Amino acid sequence: MGSYGGRGEPVFLKEGSAAEEQLLQLEALLEKTGEAYREPLERDIRMLKAGIAGERQILFELRSSHLPMYVLHDLFIRDGELSAQIDFVVITPKITFFLECKNLFGDIHIDADGGFTRTMCYDGKTLREGIYSPITQNERHMELVKAWNAKRMGMLKRAIYLKSFHYLNRFVVVLANPKSVLNAAGAPEDIRKQVIRADQLVRYIKESNQRRWQTPLSKKGMEIVAHRILEWHSDEPHDYTWKYREAVLNREKKPLSFEDRRRGPAIEQAEPKCPECGARLVKKAGRFGPFWGCSRYPQCGYTRKG
C-alpha cells in the first residue's frame, strides 16, 4: 500500500466564502426592512448561517488534519452560460478532491438504486421523504471542470488528461450536520464512496491516498496544481440583495424569488410552503416521478412526493 506522503500542515491558498459576503449584505439590508418582507429575509439569513456553519466544520477538520495538502475554499467557475460553485478543492499528494458541503437536516439513507431519502421530526411527527440527489449536482460540476480544463490543452495532453481524470480527481459530498446519521450500507459502491460525514473527511483523504501506488506529488508539485486550479476561479462581484430591491422601494410588496420573477406577475398563491424554511414548493419531474421541491434549492433540499 502506498504512502500518503508524510506529515505536514495544510496550506490554505484561498480562504473566504461568497456566502459570508452574501450574509453581510443581507444583514445590512435587514436593518432597513419593514414587516412586509422581514420574514423571507430572515429565512434566507438563517439558511445562509446554516450553510456557513457547515463549511466552517469542514475547515476545522482540514486545519486539524496535520496532513500535507493545499486547500481552496469556494471556487466559482464559469464556462459560457454554464457555471459551478465548488465549496472546497483539496489538493493532496495523489488525489485532488472536490468537496460539496451539505448541511442537511435529518438522517440520510441511500438505497440500492442510489435514491436519497431522509427521516426527520417535524411538529412531533416523523417524516420520511425523498430528496434530490447531491450526486447529480456533483456530476454536473465534474463534467464542467473536466470540459473547462480539457479545452485549454493540446490534443495529446487533452487525451491523457481525459483518460486519467477520474483516477486523479474525486468529487465528494460531505454531510456537515453533526446530528445527521448517514446510512449508505445498501447503496451502490460508486455512490457510497462519494458521500461521507464531515468527521470522516480526514480519514477518507488519508486512506484514499494510501490505496494509490503512484509516486506522490511533492509539496512544490501540489502548490503548482493548486495555483493552476485557482486560475479557473472567476471572482465576479454580485449583489445578493437584488431580489429584495423592489420590496425596499415599495414596502407594500414582498420580495420575489428568482422563479417568481421569471414566471411573471401571475403567481399562484396557493402553492404549498416548505416546512423547513418557509419558501414556496415547486412541482418538478424526477426519475421516480413528480415531486415537490423547495424553491430555495440547493440552500434547502426539502422534497416530498407529488
Side-chain angles (χ1 to χ4, degrees):
M1 185 173 291
S3 152
Y4 180 85
R7 288 178 60 84
E9 294 300 324
V11 177
F12 288 78
L13 193 59
K14 179 185 181 299
E15 292 192 70
S17 168
E20 295 174 349
E21 174 59 28
Q22 182 177 3
L23 179 61
L24 290 174
Q25 290 188 24
L26 294 188
E27 287 181 331
L29 185 62
L30 184 63
E31 298 177 1
K32 307 173 185 177
T33 61
E35 292 301 321
Y37 44 90
R38 176 176 293 273
E39 181 181 348
L41 183 53
E42 289 179 337
R43 182 181 62 237
D44 279 359
I45 290 173
R46 287 196 301 271
M47 297 299 293
L48 267 173
K49 287 182 176 179
I52 292 171
E55 292 188 6
R56 286 176 178 171
Q57 178 64 28
I58 293 178
L59 281 168
F60 173 79
E61 298 293 338
L62 294 173
R63 288 187 190 280
S64 306
S65 66
H66 302 296
L67 295 175
M69 61 175 69
Y70 275 76
V71 180
L72 307 174
H73 181 200
D74 192 26
L75 288 189
F76 182 79
I77 303 172
R78 179 177 294 283
D79 187 10
E81 295 298 317
L82 301 177
S83 63
Q85 186 274 326
I86 300 173
D87 293 328
F88 293 92
V89 181
V90 181
I91 300 92
T92 69
K94 297 181 182 180
I95 307 172
T96 295
F97 297 89
F98 294 79
L99 307 182
E100 178 70 23
C101 172
K102 291 295 182 185
N103 197 24
L104 297 175
F105 299 97
D107 297 337
I108 311 302
H109 173 77
I110 311 175
D111 62 29
D113 296 323
F116 283 69
T117 59
R118 65 172 166 182
T119 303
M120 58 183 180
C121 293
Y122 180 73
D123 281 348
K125 298 179 181 179
T126 299
L127 303 178
R128 189 169 185 268
E129 301 175 314
I131 62 174
Y132 187 82
S133 170
I135 298 297
T136 302
Q137 183 181 9
N138 248 10
E139 288 173 346
R140 291 171 181 164
H141 289 174
M142 176 184 67
E143 291 304 316
L144 188 144
V145 167
K146 183 168 65 173
W148 195 97
N149 203 31
K151 70 181 183 181
R152 287 160 174 75
M153 300 177 178
M155 185 178 298
L156 178 59
K157 188 175 181 180
R158 180 167 61 246
I160 297 173
Y161 171 77
L162 293 176
K163 186 176 182 179
S164 61
F165 180 82
H166 290 279
Y167 185 78
L168 298 176
N169 301 276
R170 186 170 296 181
F171 285 69
V172 185
V173 175
V174 184
L175 303 180
N177 189 338
K179 296 181 179 180
S180 293
V181 175
L182 173 63
N183 180 5
E189 184 178 3
D190 61 328
I191 292 180
R192 189 170 65 246
K193 288 181 177 179
Q194 296 182 63
V195 185
I196 61 173
R197 287 170 50 93
D199 55 7
Q200 300 169 333
L201 178 58
V202 173
R203 183 176 65 181
Y204 178 86
I205 290 174
K206 187 173 183 178
E207 290 180 352
S208 297
N209 273 266
Q210 289 174 336
R211 294 191 184 101
R212 297 293 176 84
W213 287 97
Q214 80 262 28
T215 303
L217 291 174
S218 64
K219 183 176 180 180
K220 184 63 176 178
M222 287 189 288
E223 182 182 5
I224 292 173
V225 172
H227 278 283
R228 187 180 302 145
I229 295 175
L230 185 57
E231 292 176 357
W232 305 350
H233 175 63
S234 176
D235 193 10
E236 301 181 3
H238 191 81
D239 177 12
Y240 296 102
T241 66
W242 68 270
K243 73 175 182 176
Y244 295 98
R245 193 175 300 127
E246 183 176 339
V248 171
L249 296 176
N250 184 349
R251 298 202 169 198
E252 295 181 357
K253 294 183 179 180
K254 291 188 177 181
L256 301 181
S257 69
F258 174 77
E259 290 82 5
D260 292 337
R261 290 175 180 272
R262 186 170 57 183
R263 288 166 55 191
I267 302 168
E268 295 183 25
Q269 298 299 328
E271 288 179 339
K273 300 291 185 180
C274 174
E276 285 199 8
C277 69
R280 291 184 309 107
L281 293 182
V282 181
K283 198 72 172 286
K284 299 181 180 182
R287 61 172 177 167
F288 298 113
F291 67 97
W292 289 93
C294 183
S295 59
R296 296 194 70 257
Y297 178 85
Q299 287 86 358
C300 178
Y302 175 84
T303 63
R304 79 181 191 202
K305 291 184 178 179

